[in-house]
Amino acid sequence: MTNPILSAWTSAFEIAPFDTISDTDFAPALDAAMQAHNAEIGAIASNPEAPTFANTVEALEAAGEMMDKVLSVFFTVAGADSNPLREELQREFSPKLAAHFSGISSNKALFQRVADLWARKDELGLTDEQARVLMLSHRGFVRAGAALEGNEDTRMQEIKARLASLGTSFTQNLLADERDWFMELSEDDLQGLPGFVVNSARAAGEEKGAKGPVVTLSRSLIVPFLQFSPRRDLRQKAYRAWTARGANGGETDNREIAAQILQLRQERAKLLGYESFADFKLETEMARTPDRVRDLLMQVWEPAKTRANADAEILTQMMRNDGVNGPLEAWDWRYYAEKRRKAEHDLDEAALKPYLQLDRMIEASFACANRLFGLEFKQLDIPLYHPDCRAWEVTRNGQHIAVFIGDYFARGSKRSGAWCSAMRGQAKFPKVQAPVVINVCNFAKGDPALLSYDDARTLFHEFGHALHQMLSNVTYESISGTSVARDFVELPSQLYEHWLEVPEVLAEFATHAETGAPMPQEMLKKVLKAANFDQGFQTVEYVASALVDLAFHEGAAPDEPMARQAEVLADLGMPAAIGMRHATPHFAHVFAGDGYSAGYYSYMWSEVMDADAFAAFEEAGGAFDSERAKALEENILSTGGSREAEELYLAFRGRLPGVEALLKGRGLIAA
């Protein structure tokens, strides 16, 4: 029987035939794909002809098409719709894939061909893009350890395989803790909760097979519960479960895994000649060095902590007025901050939320992309991996640009958070291919589904990543879309969030779920005025996580990461009633893989630029200025990693920004 993953995909736009793929297809498909890829690599490495850009670098770009198909389908469903068999396959695949790709990056004959081209790069007559791909290819081999010999080479392969397995275990432990815990609520426990929270709790109870409403560890449910529940005992129970993910003892505990990952990363960096893993990791980022990262974070930390401490005094007094003695706790902050927001800004999230319908916010994100870049979206009726998913064809002037898939609702089979990925990246070589891009979120279900303002911001954020993929216009897939420096990749996503706050966008798309009426002008003004509310809290919880991540990787790896985390927070004077946004045992950004390791600061590095970039629109003709939109697409969104990130930003803006725009944007210093 033909394996549907490996056969030609004849569906519309060559989308994976999800309706014919079963879990038993993945293992044989991967084995066949690895065998084919190895043959392709072997042919390149053993080519008797002298190395050329075409027979070596372009040949590497063209290799692995079957692998791409298998992995794009598998990792899509493993992250967004897992099950026990898929989790077992992921554990099985991780070391196999690590060994496979490590074997390629350590192939001495292959590396010699690339090194030979690198040594003769100025004689090859390459285009700028080809020169960039050659540089990145050579650098990738060196940083992967291709120049290592003997025992050091062997040890590097062992480290990579072990890190892959540990990252998978970390992810699956976290998913298990999030999936297995829920708190049942009686009808009395629902008192004081707005309707949208009650509806979400009832929907979650149905999904869990409980007898009634429940609170789960999905951010889209637990955060509003912490905001609105007057039951301090239930808030405490929920908060402690939420922050204990990955640290509950037993088989799903991530603390020892985190320690092992840090030790192996440090050893990897030493093998490659770096003092620390942070030195190794940051060398290719815009920041370049740990010192520059720390300098940025500390410039933000002090004003954020000052604001948070002042806010804590106000919230503590509010708690006293309710007759609650003792210190303000982490499970109190969101509840009293929400009461304060309602009092100071006359803004009630329960009244606001009906105006933020998921479908209308999707429309808003599409409409902004249409006005800025001329993109049009037509819904598609095609088989996808879960009934919750929706798909659209993206066109411009009648020309097919991409397929966009949205998977928006929380469920037990989906890992937490929100992300964007490309099942197929844009490229013109070895054939022209349009991207297939997915946004995955974890919003609470409802009829209709209603978003918090933070949820709506997340939707715009992830769609900004999607635009980076969809508008890519380069030759080689290895540098297309979001294949850029980690501390630059968040610029398009964070920049796109600004369009949610454009008054005319909210005026058109923030319409009431029941009446269809637009958001009242008074409420609209309050929403925009309150946009920076509680930024002390939000900035502190984020920067604390970024500084702990940096501390883990810039020196010797700690034997006890939890002790090191506590030490860093104590040195910072972390406000007692604020927890890290991501504590170590559930810090998936850092420990599920290498992506954001020593790089969680990236969101803030990019925010320095996004505040400045949106100011460029405001200084020109406004949020939808056509010249600025054209410059943004030509210099950033379409260029992928074809040039250095700093060069791309300078081409768009003409200068690099300082941190002041960020501090003003967050309301941490006076505008």
Side-chain angles (χ1 to χ4, degrees):
M1 183 179 294
T2 304
N3 190 312
I5 306 177
L6 300 178
S7 60
W9 293 353
T10 57
S11 52
F13 309 109
E14 298 182 337
I15 301 293
F18 288 106
D19 55 338
T20 65
I21 295 172
S22 69
D23 288 346
T24 56
D25 293 323
F26 286 119
L30 180 64
D31 287 341
M34 288 174 65
Q35 186 175 353
H37 198 202
N38 280 330
E40 292 168 331
I41 296 300
I44 299 168
S46 61
N47 188 339
E49 297 179 7
T52 65
F53 186 82
N55 71 19
T56 303
V57 178
E58 285 192 330
L60 283 171
E61 289 282 329
E65 181 181 2
M66 193 183 297
M67 280 289 285
D68 290 343
K69 291 174 69 173
V70 175
L71 297 183
S72 70
V73 176
F74 178 72
F75 284 115
T76 293
V77 298
D81 191 28
S82 194
N83 60 36
L85 179 55
R86 290 170 186 172
E87 290 179 13
E88 182 182 335
L89 288 171
Q90 202 168 1
R91 289 190 293 271
E92 177 189 327
F93 290 175
S94 287
K96 289 175 68 172
L97 287 169
H100 174 76
F101 288 110
S102 185
I104 294 172
S105 63
S106 63
N107 186 311
K108 304 302 182 188
L110 187 60
F111 174 54
Q112 279 307 120
R113 294 182 71 85
V114 174
D116 176 84
L117 292 171
W118 179 245
R120 297 186 291 113
K121 59 184 181 296
D122 296 334
E123 308 165 11
L124 301 177
L126 302 179
T127 67
D128 289 345
E129 189 175 328
Q130 288 173 332
R132 175 75 174 170
V133 171
L134 173 58
M135 184 279 288
L136 292 171
S137 179
H138 179 261
R139 187 175 75 181
F141 273 102
V142 172
R143 287 171 61 81
L148 297 177
E149 301 285 352
N151 292 336
E152 290 185 341
D153 184 21
T154 301
R155 180 57 183 157
M156 180 63 80
Q157 312 319 314
E158 293 171 351
I159 289 172
K160 289 180 184 177
R162 182 61 178 150
L163 282 171
S165 294
L166 289 170
T168 297
S169 297
F170 189 98
T171 301
Q172 293 189 348
N173 289 346
L174 182 54
L175 178 62
D177 277 4
E178 291 171 343
R179 181 180 57 221
D180 294 345
W181 187 93
F182 59 89
M183 180 174 69
E184 295 185 352
L185 301 175
S186 68
E187 292 301 314
D188 287 345
D189 296 336
L190 301 176
Q191 297 299 313
L193 296 177
F196 74 87
V197 181
V198 173
N199 292 338
S200 296
R202 293 195 193 281
E206 290 178 14
E207 199 239 341
K208 294 294 184 187
K211 295 178 181 178
V214 303
V215 173
T216 68
L217 297 181
S218 168
R219 179 175 284 271
S220 63
L221 179 50
I222 197 166
V223 167
F225 181 80
L226 292 170
Q227 281 178 294
F228 292 105
S229 176
R231 287 283 301 277
R232 193 178 191 227
D233 57 331
L234 297 181
R235 297 200 310 268
Q236 179 180 354
K237 182 178 179 182
Y239 181 84
R240 284 186 165 165
W242 192 34
T243 54
R245 291 169 295 156
N248 288 304
E251 294 182 354
T252 63
D253 198 295
N254 276 334
R255 287 171 288 191
E256 178 56 32
I257 290 175
Q260 291 182 50
I261 288 173
L262 293 173
Q263 296 285 349
L264 289 168
R265 284 176 180 164
Q266 172 73 358
E267 186 180 356
R268 177 183 171 191
K270 290 287 188 182
L271 283 172
L272 293 170
Y274 295 87
E275 276 299 307
S276 71
F277 184 80
D279 288 315
F280 162 72
K281 187 69 183 297
L282 295 173
E283 180 184 52
T284 59
E285 308 298 336
M286 284 187 76
R288 302 297 183 198
T289 69
D291 285 344
R292 289 186 71 190
V293 172
R294 180 172 296 282
D295 180 58
L296 167 69
L297 294 174
M298 292 308 297
Q299 285 186 66
V300 178
W301 173 258
E302 289 303 333
K305 184 174 74 168
T306 298
R307 173 64 58 81
N309 284 333
D311 290 343
E313 293 182 12
I314 295 171
L315 301 185
T316 300
Q317 187 56 53
M318 293 173 67
M319 194 172 72
R320 295 283 181 272
N321 295 342
D322 279 352
V324 181
N325 295 316
L328 181 75
E329 301 286 0
W331 48 87
D332 297 317
W333 191 293
R334 288 176 175 84
Y335 177 70
Y336 284 100
E338 180 60 31
K339 291 181 74 170
R340 181 187 175 194
R341 181 169 74 155
K342 187 174 180 180
E344 293 185 0
H345 295 280
D346 193 22
L347 186 60
D348 180 357
E349 177 138 336
L352 170 64
K353 204 158 186 178
Y355 290 98
L356 299 176
Q357 300 174 69
L358 171 61
D359 286 349
R360 294 292 280 153
M361 291 298 103
I362 294 171
E363 286 181 50
S365 67
F366 289 176
C368 291
N370 175 262
R371 290 185 65 180
L372 289 164
F373 310 114
L375 301 181
E376 297 181 330
F377 299 80
K378 178 184 177 183
Q379 192 143 5
L380 296 171
D381 183 13
I382 55 176
L384 297 168
Y385 61 87
H386 193 278
D388 286 346
C389 295
R390 296 182 250 177
W392 294 265
E393 182 189 8
V394 186
T395 61
R396 178 157 60 182
N397 299 324
Q399 179 184 355
H400 177 74
I401 297 293
V403 170
F404 174 67
I405 299 170
D407 178 3
Y408 295 108
F409 296 123
R411 52 180 174 267
S413 61
K414 182 190 288 186
R415 64 180 170 90
S416 61
W419 64 93
C420 174
S421 60
M423 289 196 67
R424 181 172 65 234
Q426 177 271 330
K428 300 174 187 175
F429 178 90
K431 61 182 180 181
V432 175
Q433 63 185 37
V436 177
V437 186
I438 303 179
N439 275 179
V440 184
C441 300
N442 270 283
F443 302 141
K445 263 191 174 179
D447 186 20
L450 304 177
L451 305 183
S452 68
Y453 197 71
D454 281 346
D455 287 339
R457 196 190 300 270
T458 295
L459 187 146
F460 268 69
H461 177 102
E462 297 306 331
F463 194 70
H465 282 308
L467 288 171
H468 202 179
Q469 296 278 16
M470 293 189 287
L471 292 172
S472 179
N473 185 25
V474 297
T475 302
Y476 302 102
E477 188 174 358
S478 65
I479 56 169
S480 75
T482 57
S483 300
V484 299
R486 180 64 63 178
D487 50 12
F488 191 69
V489 77
E490 297 298 336
L491 170 60
S493 55
Q494 292 179 183
L495 175 58
Y496 204 65
E497 292 178 31
H498 287 274
W499 274 273
L500 174 63
E501 297 180 354
V502 174
E504 62 189 280
V505 174
L506 285 173
E508 181 176 357
F509 294 99
T511 57
H512 198 279
E514 295 178 6
T515 67
M519 182 183 291
Q521 280 296 312
E522 277 305 305
M523 181 179 284
L524 176 59
K525 291 177 183 176
K526 291 171 185 174
V527 168
L528 297 175
K529 189 176 179 182
N532 283 325
F533 179 74
D534 213 22
Q535 276 296 329
F537 170 88
Q538 294 181 39
T539 307
V540 161
E541 65 165 5
Y542 165 78
V543 175
S545 295
L547 284 165
V548 168
D549 166 43
L550 184 64
F552 279 161
H553 294 100
E554 67 176 335
D559 294 327
E560 298 288 343
M562 298 305 292
R564 181 68 178 126
Q565 173 185 296
E567 181 183 345
V568 172
L569 297 181
D571 289 345
L572 288 171
M574 181 76 170
I578 303 179
M580 292 169 62
R581 186 170 179 84
H582 302 290
T584 299
H586 53 262
F587 207 163
H589 279 80
V590 169
F591 293 106
D594 272 357
Y596 283 89
S597 56
Y600 191 60
Y601 76 91
S602 300
Y603 292 93
M604 189 142 283
W605 190 275
S606 293
E607 189 178 339
V608 170
M609 290 180 286
D610 85 60
D612 181 65
F614 191 70
F617 281 85
E618 295 177 317
E619 292 163 9
F624 293 100
D625 182 77
S626 59
E627 288 302 313
R628 286 289 83 200
K630 181 181 179 183
L632 179 65
E633 179 177 353
E634 290 181 348
N635 295 299
I636 293 176
L637 297 179
S638 70
T639 50
S642 60
R643 288 182 282 161
E644 289 291 332
E646 187 169 306
E647 183 183 342
L648 295 177
Y649 191 81
L650 284 169
F652 166 71
R653 190 63 163 120
R655 58 172 170 75
L656 291 175
V659 74
E660 292 79 13
L662 179 150
L663 295 173
K664 291 174 183 175
R666 287 187 171 232
L668 298 176
I669 61 173

